[in-house]
């Protein structure tokens, strides 16, 4: 990580929160959904992977294709330096973890170096619309009760930025896409309890350090219910899952045409398509 990289997340705290979530008994529904989708995506890849690593996934990533995975947990020291030797891995997977990287370009570059030629990175991370309802409800309640708003949700890169980061790290054939999941709860406090048991509570460096006022918390739940509930009274919570994939370059991969190598000019193609 360079000296100019902004430090957004307290990764020591993140490691502690993940340990606490494991002790409480994790809530795996979102991770299970990502694992099912990851299995489908890997099933479409017609090649064998021998050396496979799971990077920072919070909990056990259960993949049918790889019943046992070498799992690298979040380092309690907060470091993002990865222990993988250059060219040692065929496949790296990561689920619901990379959104907490302080230096995502640096992590992607490390993964690119760790992959063998024609090795694959497949990752899912939460996007910017995740928990948008909770963010809006908290902002409105804090502004109303306390006269200000504290940071609760981290900034997230959009799809184009993430695709560019993959290319910058040296990945070939980069692909990004989004899956939106809406989960319903009886009330906001049930959602917050699930987030606690996912290890997904606020770990921003600039987070508020004083306890929330009970009045603010109650008003947040009321605003959430008023704005984001269904006719049956249950509230909605959005999770945006962003998928990234990229390959370590290899001569067997499809290559873009070199400039000037086209056999037919655009002008000729257009002329040929005109009715006679």
């Amino acid at each position: 990580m360079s000296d100019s990289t902004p430090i957004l997340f307290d990764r020591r705290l993140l490691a502690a929160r993940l340990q606490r979530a494991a002790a409480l008994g994790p809530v795996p529904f979102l991770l299970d959904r990502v694992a099912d989708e990851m299995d489908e995506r890997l099933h479409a890849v017609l090649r064998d992977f021998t050396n496979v690593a799971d990077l920072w996934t919070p909990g056990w990533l259960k993949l049918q294709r790889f019943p046992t995975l070498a799992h690298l947990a979040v380092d309690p020291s907060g470091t993002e330096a990865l222990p993988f030797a250059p060219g040692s891995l065929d496949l790296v997977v990561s689920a619901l973890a990379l959104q907490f990287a302080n230096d995502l370009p640096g992590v992607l570059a490390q993964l690119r170096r760790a992959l063998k030629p024609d090795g694959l990175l497949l990752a899912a991370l939460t996007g910017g619309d995740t928990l948008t309802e909770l963010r809006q409800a908290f902002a409105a309640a804090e502004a109303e009760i306390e006269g200000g708003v504290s940071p609760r949700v981290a900034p997230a890169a959009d799809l184009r930025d993430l695709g560019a980061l993959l290319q910058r790290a040296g990945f070939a054939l980069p692909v990004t896409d989004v899956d939106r999941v809406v989960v319903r709860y009886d009330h906001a406090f049930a959602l917050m309890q699930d987030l606690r048991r996912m290890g997904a509570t606020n770990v921003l460096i600039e987070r508020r350090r004083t306890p929330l006022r009970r009045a603010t918390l109650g008003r947040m739940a009321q605003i959430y219910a008023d704005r984001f509930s269904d006719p049956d009274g249950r509230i909605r919570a959005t999770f945006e899952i962003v998928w990234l994939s990229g390959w370590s370059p290899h001569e067997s991969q499809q290559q873009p045409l070199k400039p000037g190598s086209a056999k037919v000019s655009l002008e000729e193609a257009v002329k040929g398509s005109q009715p006679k």
Side-chain angles (χ1 to χ4, degrees), residues 161-235:
D161 291 338
L162 291 169
L165 287 181
L166 286 170
Q167 289 183 312
R168 174 180 163 186
F171 283 96
L173 310 175
V175 176
T176 60
D177 60 274
V178 171
D179 178 27
R180 293 173 64 89
V181 183
V182 177
V183 183
R184 302 204 311 147
Y185 288 91
D186 289 338
H187 46 72
F189 300 119
L191 165 61
M192 294 174 69
Q193 179 63 22
D194 268 11
L195 295 177
R196 182 181 175 89
R197 294 175 66 179
M198 291 178 188
T201 50
N202 190 355
V203 293
L204 286 168
I205 291 289
E206 298 299 326
R207 68 190 180 278
R208 175 179 176 158
R209 305 305 174 101
T210 57
L212 268 172
R213 296 183 191 176
R214 179 170 295 184
T216 304
L217 201 55
R219 182 61 179 140
M220 178 279 297
Q222 183 180 25
I223 292 171
Y224 201 132
D226 290 343
R227 296 185 182 180
F228 304 110
S229 64
D230 290 328
D232 62 1
R234 304 191 78 198
I235 63 167

Side-chain angles (χ1 to χ4, degrees), residues 2 21 24 34 58 77 82 85 93 97 115 121 129 143-144 153 159 165 170 175 224 233 257:
S2 68
L24 289 172
V34 169
S77 73
L82 304 181
V93 293
L115 285 168
L121 167 66
D129 279 346
E144 179 181 319
V153 179
L159 282 183
L165 287 181
V175 176
Y224 201 132
L257 292 175

Side-chain angles (χ1 to χ4, degrees), residues 8 23 29 73 98 212 222 253 257-258:
L8 298 177
F29 72 86
L98 292 180
L212 268 172
Q222 183 180 25
Q253 294 164 357
L257 292 175
K258 295 180 180 179

Side-chain angles (χ1 to χ4, degrees):
M1 186 182 302
S2 68
D3 294 338
S4 61
T5 301
I7 306 301
L8 298 177
F9 305 104
D10 184 340
R11 290 187 61 84
R12 290 175 184 264
L13 179 61
L14 174 62
R17 295 273 174 86
L18 292 173
Q19 289 181 344
R20 181 184 68 182
L24 289 172
V27 175
F29 72 86
L30 195 62
L31 182 57
D32 288 348
R33 180 187 176 99
V34 169
D36 288 344
E37 175 68 18
M38 192 170 282
D39 261 326
E40 288 190 16
R41 291 173 184 243
L42 289 171
H43 183 72
V45 180
L46 302 179
R47 60 156 295 178
D48 294 327
F49 297 105
T50 303
N51 298 316
V52 183
D54 168 25
L55 178 66
W56 297 338
T57 294
W60 180 29
L61 183 57
K62 295 176 284 188
L63 298 178
Q64 293 180 2
R65 185 166 176 179
F66 305 103
T68 58
L69 283 172
H71 173 67
L72 182 65
V74 173
D75 194 316
S77 73
T79 182
E80 295 180 2
L82 304 181
F84 306 128
S88 61
L89 299 172
D90 299 301
L91 170 67
V92 176
V93 293
S94 180
L96 308 180
L98 292 180
Q99 68 270 13
F100 293 124
N102 283 308
D103 183 14
L104 183 55
V107 170
L108 292 176
Q110 291 183 76
L111 294 176
R112 160 67 184 84
R113 288 193 295 270
L115 285 168
K116 298 176 183 179
D118 208 28
L120 174 64
L121 167 66
L122 179 60
L125 60 156
T126 54
D129 279 346
T130 297
L131 300 176
T132 180
E133 302 91 350
L134 184 63
R135 178 177 61 234
Q136 293 178 55
F138 258 123
E142 284 188 308
E144 179 181 319
I145 302 295
E146 304 184 28
V149 177
S150 58
R152 297 194 173 276
V153 179
D158 65 22
L159 282 183
R160 288 172 297 180
D161 291 338
L162 291 169
L165 287 181
L166 286 170
Q167 289 183 312
R168 174 180 163 186
F171 283 96
L173 310 175
V175 176
T176 60
D177 60 274
V178 171
D179 178 27
R180 293 173 64 89
V181 183
V182 177
V183 183
R184 302 204 311 147
Y185 288 91
D186 289 338
H187 46 72
F189 300 119
L191 165 61
M192 294 174 69
Q193 179 63 22
D194 268 11
L195 295 177
R196 182 181 175 89
R197 294 175 66 179
M198 291 178 188
T201 50
N202 190 355
V203 293
L204 286 168
I205 291 289
E206 298 299 326
R207 68 190 180 278
R208 175 179 176 158
R209 305 305 174 101
T210 57
L212 268 172
R213 296 183 191 176
R214 179 170 295 184
T216 304
L217 201 55
R219 182 61 179 140
M220 178 279 297
Q222 183 180 25
I223 292 171
Y224 201 132
D226 290 343
R227 296 185 182 180
F228 304 110
S229 64
D230 290 328
D232 62 1
R234 304 191 78 198
I235 63 167
R236 301 181 300 276
T238 298
F239 295 89
E240 182 180 73
I241 310 300
V242 179
W243 286 90
L244 307 179
S245 66
W247 293 84
S248 181
H250 186 264
E251 61 184 10
S252 66
Q253 294 164 357
Q254 181 177 351
Q255 302 293 321
L257 292 175
K258 295 180 180 179
S261 63
K263 300 297 185 182
V264 180
S265 71
L266 177 61
E267 181 180 2
E268 291 172 345
V270 171
K271 287 180 179 178
S273 67
Q274 298 296 323
K276 296 180 180 179

